[in-house]
Amino acid sequence: MLAGPPNLEEFPVANETRTSIGKVVGASLIGTTVEWYDFFLYGSAAALVFNKLFFPAENALTGTLLAFLTYAVGFLARPLGGLVFGHYGDRLGRKRLLVVSLLMMGGATVLIGCLPTYATLGAAAPLLLTALRLVQGFALGGEWGGAVLLVSEHGDPARRGLWASWPQAGAPGGNLLATAVLALLAAIQSDETFLAWGWRIPFLLSGLLVLVGLWIRLTVSESPVFKQALAGQAPEPRAPILDVLRHHPRDVLVAIGARLAENVSYYVITAFVLVYATTAADMPKQTALNAVLIGSAIHFVTIPMWGALSDRLGRRPVYLIGAVGVGLWAFAFFPLVDSGSFALATIAVAVGLLFHGAMYGPQAAFFSELFATRMRYSGVSVGYQLASVVAGALAPIIAVALLQEYDSGLPIALYVAGSAVLTVIAVVAAKETRDRDLTAIEPTSGPRGASTADAAQEA
């Protein structure tokens, strides 16, 4: 991880004139796609490979459970990454921190591809794997907040939901890319070859993807909203996270609650489904991967549509469509997968991800609009990443444990539905944020497009 505060001033800032919103969106989308590719690649490998190579056990589900435990470790490091990156991002800017996170994530992923397995290194192999997973989680903890803020604070306020949803599309984009590479290798390699060395290729490929993402990120300018706050009335926070907890405790709780159903459902639909389909439903690995591949493609395309809809209807109504939808769909999801039919399994994944997108699309703008500029990076990162620990980290583990105990998808559906109920409560308790002005010192004051002075007077 980071050994002490990074000297972020050493990172170059190319073209400090205001960058076009299209270029900013492209830089954020490509960067987040690369980072999520790295993160999701581990999840897919945990379900298909690591349980055999790093955690050999007599019972297949036990090995999978141990592999998912290291998968969860990455989530535990994400709040710490959010705190560190948020602290420096609120004090020094968004862009340089995004360069650091990309380098850390890519380096850890390439090293995973070089690791000796348990058969070669013994118990040290899973320990090293876990350590690199911690670095991945730490880097991703700082990635999301910076990427969505760079877009949210550049774009037209009237279309903030649309623009900010594009970095969100990096998550299914990364999952799509990771699943596609694994599916391709599974199709052209035998299981023996894939387990022997083929699984390393996607991890080593990350090195090339990081170079592309790094080059693009170095060409965009810093957030104009942040630079305005830096030059204006907003005082420099000595400890942004303390200011968040002092001024925005309710907003942090709203963000955590809003993420529960979104995070739980996503990792059940995309990661755990690979375990469920290949064990409980006796579906071939290739078939399960292809179902997730098609679902992720639909997810990628529809996320910006949901973000655009939130600009017209508001963040809360669109978010509630997703939360209610995914809670109800969970009860159809497992019977469809149980059928063993590729078509029905694909429908199960695609519709589940469609409802998930209704939450994930407006989420970036929604969370950005909750916090003031000089504490926004810390606020969105902490709310987002704390939820990832209690939701995303535990979802595959809880799902595998429920499957072991009950040998049925119904308890897992109830688990997803329960998280949806909590998310509905959180979103209903929140205020609509669509018209908030990000340039205001306090974003809770003033409508979209109002000046900072007007917003302060209204407050």
Side-chain angles (χ1 to χ4, degrees), residues 340-411:
S341 163
F342 169 68
L344 293 180
T346 302
I347 291 172
V349 173
V351 174
L353 289 177
L354 186 67
F355 283 124
H356 175 271
M359 295 180 282
Y360 206 55
Q363 187 181 87
F366 182 27
F367 289 6
S368 298
E369 291 157 353
L370 292 174
F371 301 96
T373 301
R374 293 307 301 271
M375 61 188 82
R376 186 171 292 136
Y377 201 145
S378 296
V380 299
S381 295
V382 170
Y384 186 92
Q385 304 302 349
L386 283 177
S388 72
V389 176
V390 298
L394 297 179
I397 297 171
I398 291 174
V400 170
L402 289 172
L403 181 61
Q404 276 189 314
E405 180 68 22
Y406 298 102
D407 194 27
S408 169
L410 180 59

Side-chain angles (χ1 to χ4, degrees), residues 201-278:
I201 295 174
F203 289 89
L204 298 176
L205 180 63
S206 174
L208 296 176
L209 298 176
V210 165
L211 290 177
V212 174
L214 185 63
W215 175 73
I216 292 174
R217 280 197 167 169
L218 288 172
T219 64
V220 300
S221 64
E222 180 57 83
S223 153
V225 171
F226 177 81
K227 290 194 290 186
Q228 178 180 330
L230 201 65
Q233 304 174 21
E236 179 178 349
R238 299 186 63 182
I241 185 57
L242 296 181
D243 290 339
V244 169
L245 297 178
R246 185 181 303 117
H247 299 293
H248 295 281
R250 176 189 175 94
D251 296 323
V252 171
L253 292 175
V254 166
I256 292 173
R259 282 217 74 204
L260 292 179
E262 177 263 303
N263 222 212
V264 167
S265 64
Y266 188 75
Y267 289 104
V268 167
I269 293 170
T270 60
F272 171 73
V273 72
L274 297 177
V275 177
Y276 187 85
T278 55

